Amino acid sequence: MAASKRGGGARGGAQPQPAQPARDLPPPWLRIVDPEQVPDQASLLELIADALGAPIGFSLAGINPEGRFLLWSAGSADMYGYSAREMLGTRSLADISDGQDRRPGWRECLDAALKQGTWHGTSTHVRKDGTRFQADTLITPVRHHPGSGLLGFLVASRDVSEEIGDSQRLTEDNLRQHAILESSRLPLVIADLSGTVEQVNAAAENLTGQPREQLAGSKLAGWFSDQRPLRELQRQLLREHDVTGFELPLRVPDGRPDGVTGDGTLLLDPQGRPSGIALRLRDLTDIRRLRRELDETREFSRQVIDAASDGLLTLDPAGVITGVSEHATRISGYAKDELVGSRLTDYAPDPGQVQGMIDGTFRAGSLRDHRLALTTSDGAVRQLLAQTWAAGTRHTRRMFLLIRDVTERIAARERTARETAYNRGLIEASVDGLATVDFRGYISDVNARMCELMGQAREDLVGSSFTSCFTDPGDAAEVMNRALVDGKATNYELRHAGHPGVALSVNASLFRDSAGEVAGVFVSARDVSEQSRLQHTLAGQEAYNRALIESSAEAFFAISQDGVISDVNALASSLTGYSRQHLVGRPFGDLFVDPAAAKRVVSEAFENGQVTGHELTLVAGGGGTVVSFNAGVYRDPAGQTQGLLAAARDITAQKQLEDRLRSQQYYTRSLIEANTDALVVVDLAGLIADTNSAMESLVGRPREELIGTQITDYSPEPAAVADGVSQTLRDGHANMEIPALRPDGSTTVLSINASTFTDSGGKLQGIIAAGRDITERKQLEELQRRMLDQAQALDQTRADFVSQVSHELRSPLTSILGYLEMLDGGRAGRLNPEQERVIGIVQRSGQRLLALIEDLLLLSRIEAGTLRIELAEVRPAAVIEEVRESFLPAIQDKRLRLRLDLDRGITMQADAAQFERVVANLISNAVKFTPPGGQLRVSCVRDGPDVVLEVRDSGIGIPPDEQERLFTRFFRSSISSALEARGTGLGLYIVKQVAEGHGGGVSAQSAPGEGSAFIVRLPASPQTPGPADQKEAAP
Amino acid sequence: MDDDAEVRDLVEYTLEDCQVRTAANGEEALRAVAGSQPDVLILDIMMPGMSGLRVLELLRADPVTAELPVILLTAKAQETDVDRGFGMGADDYVVKPFSPLELARRVAAVAARKKPA
């Protein structure tokens, strides 16, 4: 088979399958000829000859039905190290097959090939130098004709060890990668370059709300509501390999778009080529900064918008009225529908004057302070001061006309002019009150205006004292003095003595007669009290308002009642992208993506007097600009609604921030909620500020009830909780176990991990604590501990039992063997030869029983895992000689020759009793399996750090197919039964266990009929001494 | 001292040249030692009740018997006991099943080593 490169973890291990269905095509590396397009016979032969002659990375061999090689290609020689001469006719498939391979042997493969038409699989092959490798092998029977006699087999093979190794490594890498993936608490996703998801972790499942089975193989693009950022991230990854903090709009389970920040890494294959991407999704860092910024942005100052008192009309270029404001109808006295559609000139006593204004407006764009007279419905002619603007494009061209009724002002002015006409020679046209005062301070003349101002008749005033006319005669005298001394006095404010509410601004100048002599002082007075001052300041106020509007940080739109823009400031132009000319006269709604919504805002404002915080999206700038409107109506002094002043602010950035913050909050909330730990945010006062559902279910109360309560309320030990809070505040973090109250009143133990958190400025805000219910874990730990105790107790019982049995079995044996020895030694009287022979048999049986007990005891300890190696200084030579003693009778019985090659100087650290069992078991086997007259040799030498014990015999040897199982428990060789040799099948197993327990090993060499050798290699100073390593050396 | 009567008999039989007193448990052994001032004491380690090691400990704690030669009898399973025994001042040990002649030789050797001192 060919090991798949993309096996992943699915195949468990990378163990190659032994055989695959025979109907498979040949492996790809062997498809040298397309059977559909076989060229003529000659070129095919040429091709095959080429293939056979070139060492082309795979072996092609032919064998006869018995497996002997008939064909050996150059590729074969290259792969196996055998030349064709070494192979052909002499060696068979057995020579390159591994006998140890547990998979089907080569004969079975040939059988399978015969049965199925071909055999394909992986097996272990052996090179000439003895090295083994995994070969992908295809065996095909060869016949002259289908159905005719078998000529042999064609065997094609290829070394795939490396591929299998690669595949194993790949599996390990995958497993490791998977573990890393899973251990991350951040959502991780691995995708290939096309954006197909390959792996995700549990956190990613949580994030997307989908199981990984669904996620794997899906398109990463489906995770995000907008593909552009993802594509940009992929591009950046290919360019830079690592990208951090990339914002991605996540499509979360309920369909609401949510944002995450992705950190990406480009995955490279071993050749350094991009093979995929890994994304780590997160964001927690910016949230506090964002919150603060948002608060700042939300601070939205509200402008109080003053209403102006002008009436507004719109006219088309022909002078037809297309719209009027309420105030305009009031000024004119005509109803709105009467006015709209009629010509403005119809109302003009001087149509030419009006037409001139209209023409001038369209020509110049606007006119300021234009004087205009219109006839009202009651036939009166009103004097108006007009401001005009032209607006609109060629087809929508129109003008706005703001009118202010100034009739009264003008009438007053004209009256005054008339009444003072007689003084024209002396004074310039003035509406001021005038008086002459002689140098003694008496009024010599006054004008009508002065009479009016003073409220007195001309006759009364003339001859009266000037200073006595005012509340403060001193100031009046000062005016006179200054005029007399300096020639003039200006801008003195004096109050009327009889009417202190009337304030007069007084100017005075010296006048002389025709002879040039001082004749008196000429005084002019102007009423500057409330009413008139109002009129004066109004114009200034308007200019001020205009300046205020222009200098404001916000865009202003004046909107008439029909929803048309009547004025804008410069910011409004830059916000909308239209010039002032374009904006004025245009329906306000046209500026927005949703005109209907804009109209609703306007009508709402007119209805309620004001609106705040309405958000509309501008058409300008591609529809991406969101503005927030505050608007209020402005009224004339009589309370009539004049229009609407709307202040707009570009809140696109704020909106984006808000969106992002919402996403973040949602994300944070999800993170908190998704946590299986109970999470609690506690403020500095110890009050719960936030919590999650795990906490809700832990204490059995909803979040709303928990927030704002003391954290100490939820533990039967409030003092411990308070301590924990203090400790956390002091150290910045704390880990503790604290009991918590369950809703049913029971107590559970929480493992708490708490740490403080700060705002972006580093100011301490509170504590975040995660609590995990560890009651079950504690109970489990307790259970484990108890089970361990029980197991240890059992173990002890068992050890005691073994010890007891050992003692109990030995005691009677002590008596038996002891008395036998006494008998044998003649202590109970001289024995005849027959008695001696019988006692010898009893003694040997007793010894064997003893050995058996020793083996069983060792076995029981090995099985229980309690075999303890008690190291002591051991002299192997002494032990071997001692063991030899006990086998002497048997050796003599079989007339065996035993040679000892012992290095008596050797000492080693070993378990003396166990070492003795090793020696005894090996010698026992050698004696058992060596025919009478044979030879035994026991050697023990030092080899570097090891002591090597070898027991060799000239016995019957061990069949090769049994050699591997020699050291398994209860294994009994077929030759045991043949020889009727007794045994438990424990000896070699114990030898192996003891050798390995000492950090060494045992091996066997054997050839049937030639004998066997067992080699035990033990470290002279084991590195892993048993528990008794502290003990002193035994003698 | 041994709790197994047959082992006690075997030891007595083996050492028939010597005067042998046997004891089946620790208390009995201590009484026998106090009453007879033996030359050598053979103690089986593994005993029900008071173990051979405990007896040895008590003997060594008593100035009168502190120097009394002691040979421990042990099963192979209890090598650590042998080490502890040596730590407490045992003079030699014999592993069960033991060769009676071997035991006799060791008793003689231990007794001879102690006598001159």
Side-chain angles (χ1 to χ4, degrees):
Chain A
M1 64 152 269
S4 166
K5 280 274 185 190
R6 290 181 59 85
R11 288 188 318 149
Q15 194 67 13
Q17 305 297 313
Q20 286 192 336
R23 286 163 300 282
D24 267 6
L25 280 172
W29 52 267
L30 198 54
R31 274 181 234 149
I32 55 172
V33 177
D34 182 348
E36 298 293 316
Q37 295 172 14
V38 174
D40 58 90
Q41 197 82 3
S43 18
L44 181 61
L45 283 175
E46 205 173 296
L47 201 69
I48 293 172
D50 281 353
L52 290 178
I56 46 177
F58 66 88
S59 153
L60 202 55
I63 52 174
N64 69 7
E66 284 72 48
R68 291 221 178 270
F69 285 108
L70 303 172
L71 174 72
W72 189 250
S73 74
S76 312
D78 191 48
M79 191 180 298
Y80 291 93
Y82 291 103
S83 70
R85 190 179 305 159
E86 285 172 284
M87 297 307 278
L88 296 179
T90 55
R91 283 190 163 80
S92 78
L93 206 50
D95 293 297
I96 58 163
S97 298
D98 182 7
Q100 308 280 322
D101 196 342
R102 294 208 178 97
R103 285 169 290 211
W106 61 273
R107 283 198 178 283
E108 288 139 274
C109 295
L110 294 187
D111 289 347
L114 269 183
K115 244 176 258 160
Q116 302 164 350
T118 172
W119 182 87
H120 181 201
T122 307
S123 50
T124 309
H125 285 190
V126 188
R127 293 193 188 88
K128 187 183 181 184
D129 62 7
T131 55
R132 288 168 159 74
F133 64 97
Q134 296 296 312
D136 183 8
T137 307
L138 181 78
I139 300 176
T140 318
V142 182
R143 302 169 201 277
H144 265 308
H145 308 288
S148 73
L150 182 70
L151 290 178
F153 296 88
L154 203 57
V155 180
S157 54
R158 177 163 162 267
D159 185 345
V160 291
S161 312
E162 231 165 275
E163 287 174 24
I164 290 170
D166 278 348
S167 137
Q168 271 165 348
R169 270 193 300 283
L170 194 70
T171 306
E172 284 160 18
D173 281 350
N174 275 343
L175 288 174
R176 194 159 47 239
Q177 184 189 336
H178 192 69
I180 292 169
L181 207 65
E182 283 305 327
S183 63
S184 169
R185 302 182 73 145
L186 291 176
L188 294 180
V189 52
I190 291 175
D192 66 14
L193 287 178
S194 75
T196 302
V197 176
E198 289 183 340
Q199 289 191 59
V200 296
N201 66 355
E205 290 181 299
N206 279 342
L207 181 71
T208 57
Q210 290 186 53
R212 65 185 68 203
E213 295 74 33
Q214 274 183 36
L215 290 174
S218 71
K219 283 285 178 188
L220 193 55
W223 294 27
F224 302 105
S225 53
D226 183 357
Q227 310 308 317
R228 281 170 300 191
L230 178 65
R231 281 201 293 276
E232 179 54 31
L233 173 63
Q234 287 171 317
R235 272 197 290 278
Q236 274 193 29
L237 274 176
L238 286 171
R239 211 162 49 230
E240 298 162 23
H241 289 203
D242 272 300
V243 175
T244 54
F246 205 93
E247 272 192 47
L248 294 165
L250 190 71
R251 199 196 296 277
V252 294
D254 64 0
R256 199 176 125 191
D258 200 344
V260 290
T261 295
D263 295 347
T265 303
L266 188 68
L267 302 176
L268 301 175
D269 69 9
Q271 283 75 45
R273 291 179 305 235
S275 64
I277 59 171
L279 284 186
R280 191 166 63 251
L281 306 173
R282 68 172 303 170
D283 200 342
L284 283 170
T285 51
D286 283 347
I287 190 150
R288 285 186 209 113
R289 181 178 58 77
L290 272 169
R291 186 174 287 159
R292 197 192 61 231
E293 281 176 11
L294 192 66
D295 285 345
E296 286 167 3
T297 318
R298 270 184 181 154
E299 212 176 285
F300 202 78
S301 62
R302 254 198 87 200
Q303 293 278 337
V304 178
I305 300 161
D306 287 330
S309 62
D310 293 344
L312 178 78
L313 298 101
T314 51
L315 308 175
D316 65 13
V320 174
I321 298 170
T322 55
V324 289
S325 69
E326 274 302 314
H327 197 54
T329 61
R330 228 165 45 84
I331 292 172
S332 69
Y334 290 104
K336 191 174 170 180
D337 16 323
E338 289 177 288
L339 288 171
V340 173
S342 61
R343 288 175 174 277
L344 185 64
T345 48
D346 295 348
Y347 306 94
D350 181 356
Q353 182 205 30
V354 169
Q355 192 59 50
M357 179 194 73
I358 293 171
D359 295 343
T361 300
F362 282 112
R363 196 169 53 243
S366 70
L367 294 176
R368 290 267 170 264
D369 298 337
H370 190 82
R371 286 285 295 276
L372 170 77
L374 290 176
T375 309
T376 60
S377 58
D378 54 8
V381 173
R382 307 300 294 181
Q383 297 298 324
L384 304 172
L385 193 63
Q387 319 289 335
T388 67
W389 301 274
T393 56
R394 202 147 54 110
H395 299 295
T396 62
R397 197 126 176 96
R398 60 198 138 153
M399 68 172 271
F400 293 89
L401 174 63
L402 272 176
I403 50 172
R404 187 175 302 165
D405 190 344
V406 291
T407 310
E408 311 305 339
R409 227 161 72 191
I410 289 165
R413 204 175 288 164
E414 281 173 355
R415 199 161 54 239
T416 309
R418 265 197 315 275
E419 287 193 7
T420 58
Y422 77 100
N423 281 333
R424 263 182 223 279
L426 192 61
I427 53 172
E428 293 299 320
S430 168
V431 293
D432 293 339
L434 296 174
T436 50
V437 182
D438 69 21
F439 64 88
R440 291 170 305 157
Y442 290 100
I443 297 169
S444 52
D445 198 4
V446 291
N447 65 2
R449 176 66 180 149
M450 187 58 105
C451 297
E452 220 177 275
L453 285 175
M454 299 309 288
Q456 284 177 288
R458 183 184 169 90
E459 299 85 292
D460 292 327
L461 281 170
V462 172
S464 64
S465 164
F466 176 72
T467 54
S468 64
C469 289
F470 303 98
T471 50
D472 189 345
D475 278 353
E478 170 78 5
V479 172
M480 295 308 293
N481 286 338
R482 194 145 299 281
L484 287 169
V485 174
D486 297 332
K488 62 175 180 177
T490 52
N491 288 335
Y492 278 85
E493 189 168 309
L494 300 173
R495 288 190 176 271
H496 194 296
H499 307 277
V502 178
L504 298 172
S505 175
V506 175
N507 289 359
S509 61
L510 192 69
F511 75 96
R512 300 170 189 272
D513 61 14
S514 53
E517 292 293 325
V518 171
V521 173
F522 183 60
V523 176
S524 73
R526 177 179 294 182
D527 185 352
V528 290
S529 51
E530 277 328 297
Q531 195 183 354
S532 60
R533 200 164 63 228
L534 260 181
Q535 272 190 343
H536 274 282
T537 52
L538 187 60
Q541 187 64 46
E542 278 167 14
Y544 173 78
N545 283 349
R546 181 85 214 157
L548 189 73
I549 286 171
E550 286 296 349
S551 65
S552 167
E554 299 186 336
F556 276 99
F557 298 82
I559 303 161
S560 61
Q561 281 179 323
D562 54 357
V564 169
I565 297 169
S566 57
D567 194 8
V568 294
N569 66 355
L571 267 176
S573 287
S574 61
L575 179 68
T576 58
Y578 293 108
S579 69
R580 180 187 163 88
Q581 280 76 17
H582 276 82
L583 285 171
V584 172
R586 201 178 161 149
F588 180 66
D590 289 359
L591 296 176
F592 303 97
V593 172
D594 184 355
K599 276 180 191 145
R600 278 198 299 277
V601 172
V602 172
S603 24
E604 191 189 320
F606 276 116
E607 242 169 67
N608 302 334
Q610 61 164 42
V611 290
T612 52
H614 266 282
E615 290 173 12
L616 293 168
T617 306
L618 283 171
V619 174
T625 311
V626 181
V627 289
S628 170
F629 275 102
N630 283 6
V633 294
Y634 58 87
R635 305 172 196 276
D636 64 11
Q640 281 291 320
T641 299
Q642 298 292 301
L644 193 66
L645 202 53
R649 171 172 289 210
D650 182 348
I651 56 160
T652 310
Q654 181 195 345
K655 287 292 287 179
Q656 284 169 351
L657 199 64
E658 278 175 356
D659 276 350
R660 204 168 147 201
L661 181 67
R662 226 184 348 262
S663 305
Q664 296 303 351
Q665 284 169 336
Y666 187 83
Y667 181 62
T668 309
R669 188 79 238 150
S670 313
L671 276 181
I672 290 175
E673 283 302 331
N675 210 309
T676 52
D677 293 342
L679 293 184
V680 175
V681 179
V682 180
D683 67 14
L684 292 174
L687 298 174
I688 296 175
D690 197 1
T691 180
N692 68 349
S693 55
M695 179 69 181
E696 290 179 319
S697 47
L698 180 74
V699 300
R701 289 173 66 177
R703 188 159 169 259
E704 294 70 36
E705 281 184 32
L706 288 171
I707 289 175
T709 57
Q710 283 286 346
I711 183 69
T712 48
D713 294 350
Y714 303 99
S715 171
E717 294 176 23
V721 178
D723 280 353
V725 170
S726 323
Q727 193 196 333
T728 312
L729 291 176
R730 193 180 63 235
D731 301 342
H733 57 85
N735 291 299
M736 61 211 125
E737 285 182 10
I738 282 181
L741 280 176
R742 281 225 182 88
D744 62 5
S746 67
T747 300
T748 181
V749 181
L750 295 185
S751 167
I752 308 269
N753 195 350
S755 62
T756 54
F757 67 96
T758 61
D759 63 11
S760 55
K763 191 164 170 285
L764 188 62
Q765 297 292 299
I767 294 172
I768 295 178
R772 178 168 295 179
D773 190 337
I774 56 166
T775 307
E776 276 180 33
R777 200 182 81 202
K778 290 236 138 182
Q779 287 168 349
L780 211 64
E781 278 172 4
E782 174 64 23
L783 189 68
Q784 271 176 349
R785 202 180 52 70
R786 276 212 308 274
M787 285 174 71
L788 202 67
D789 285 353
Q790 274 178 11
Q792 276 167 352
L794 266 175
D795 226 39
Q796 189 55 47
T797 311
R798 184 183 177 124
D800 291 348
F801 177 73
V802 166
S803 184
Q804 187 73 34
V805 168
S806 158
H807 180 78
E808 291 303 322
L809 288 172
R810 277 198 184 86
S811 287
L813 265 175
T814 303
S815 301
I816 294 166
L817 292 173
Y819 279 112
L820 281 171
E821 189 182 323
M822 302 305 279
L823 272 179
D824 198 27
R827 278 286 297 275
R830 203 177 161 77
L831 303 176
N832 65 34
E834 182 58 15
Q835 285 169 330
E836 272 185 18
R837 192 183 68 82
V838 171
I839 284 177
I841 291 169
V842 178
Q843 271 183 322
R844 280 200 291 284
S845 297
Q847 289 294 348
R848 218 171 54 233
L849 181 58
L850 185 60
L852 193 61
I853 291 167
E854 300 294 348
D855 278 354
L856 283 172
L857 284 171
L858 268 178
L859 175 71
S860 99
R861 294 214 181 103
I862 289 165
E863 295 295 284
T866 57
L867 181 65
R868 299 201 311 183
I869 307 221
E870 308 206 334
L871 292 182
E873 188 170 275
V874 171
R875 294 180 166 279
V879 175
I880 292 164
E881 283 173 338
E882 201 175 300
V883 173
R884 190 218 12 208
E885 286 300 312
S886 61
F887 283 100
L888 273 180
I891 289 169
Q892 284 160 2
D893 271 4
K894 291 181 89 169
R895 299 184 316 281
L896 301 173
R897 278 184 296 138
L898 172 62
R899 205 176 100 203
L900 298 185
D901 290 331
L902 305 176
D903 181 345
R904 283 166 211 287
I906 301 176
T907 60
M908 62 190 288
Q909 290 291 313
D911 186 304
Q914 291 176 19
F915 182 72
E916 190 192 314
R917 288 317 310 153
V918 167
V919 176
N921 283 342
L922 290 178
I923 294 180
S924 164
N925 277 350
V927 170
K928 219 185 286 178
F929 295 111
T930 306
Q935 295 187 8
L936 308 181
R937 180 173 164 270
V938 177
S939 70
C940 186
V941 293
R942 181 78 188 243
D943 179 15
D946 297 337
V947 173
V948 178
L949 166 72
E950 185 179 313
V951 178
R952 187 176 282 278
D953 63 55
S954 62
I956 55 177
I958 304 153
D961 57 340
E962 291 182 357
Q963 287 184 6
E964 201 185 335
R965 290 181 291 154
L966 270 181
F967 297 100
T968 56
R969 201 168 39 143
F970 305 126
F971 172 75
R972 304 213 57 220
S973 171
S974 55
I975 56 175
S976 310
S977 41
L979 283 179
E980 295 183 355
R982 298 190 194 87
T984 52
L986 285 177
L988 287 175
Y989 173 67
I990 285 170
V991 168
K992 182 166 189 270
Q993 294 295 324
V994 168
E996 288 174 356
H998 279 73
V1002 58
S1003 62
Q1005 295 170 355
S1006 182
E1010 290 170 23
S1012 308
F1014 289 86
I1015 300 116
V1016 176
R1017 186 174 277 273
L1018 298 175
S1021 312
Q1023 292 301 303
T1024 52
D1029 54 341
Q1030 74 285 0
K1031 75 178 198 175
E1032 299 156 30
Chain B
M1 174 194 80
D2 198 307
D3 57 323
D4 190 323
E6 275 153 19
V7 174
R8 290 201 300 275
D9 286 350
L10 175 63
V11 172
E12 251 187 300
Y13 187 73
T14 305
L15 303 176
E16 65 174 5
D17 298 342
C18 312
Q19 191 188 343
V20 179
R21 283 198 62 177
T22 61
N25 58 51
E27 290 78 3
E28 215 178 295
L30 288 171
R31 277 199 302 276
V33 168
S36 62
Q37 288 294 320
D39 295 322
V40 176
L41 189 63
I42 300 169
L43 286 177
D44 184 18
I45 291 181
M46 192 145 174
M47 298 277 292
M50 195 187 289
S51 81
L53 291 176
R54 176 71 185 140
V55 174
L56 175 61
E57 194 180 5
L58 292 172
L59 290 173
R60 290 297 182 242
D62 183 342
V64 180
T65 54
E67 297 296 323
L68 175 61
V70 169
I71 294 174
L72 296 172
L73 280 184
T74 176
K76 274 190 184 169
Q78 298 130 17
E79 300 267 320
T80 30
D81 291 346
V82 172
D83 290 325
R84 283 176 58 205
F86 273 106
M88 289 176 194
D91 296 270
D92 203 349
Y93 78 101
V94 174
V95 174
K96 283 185 185 177
F98 55 86
S99 154
L101 298 176
E102 170 89 21
L103 178 65
R105 279 200 295 276
R106 295 204 182 197
V107 169
V110 169
R113 215 183 312 150
K114 286 282 170 172
K115 275 271 168 66

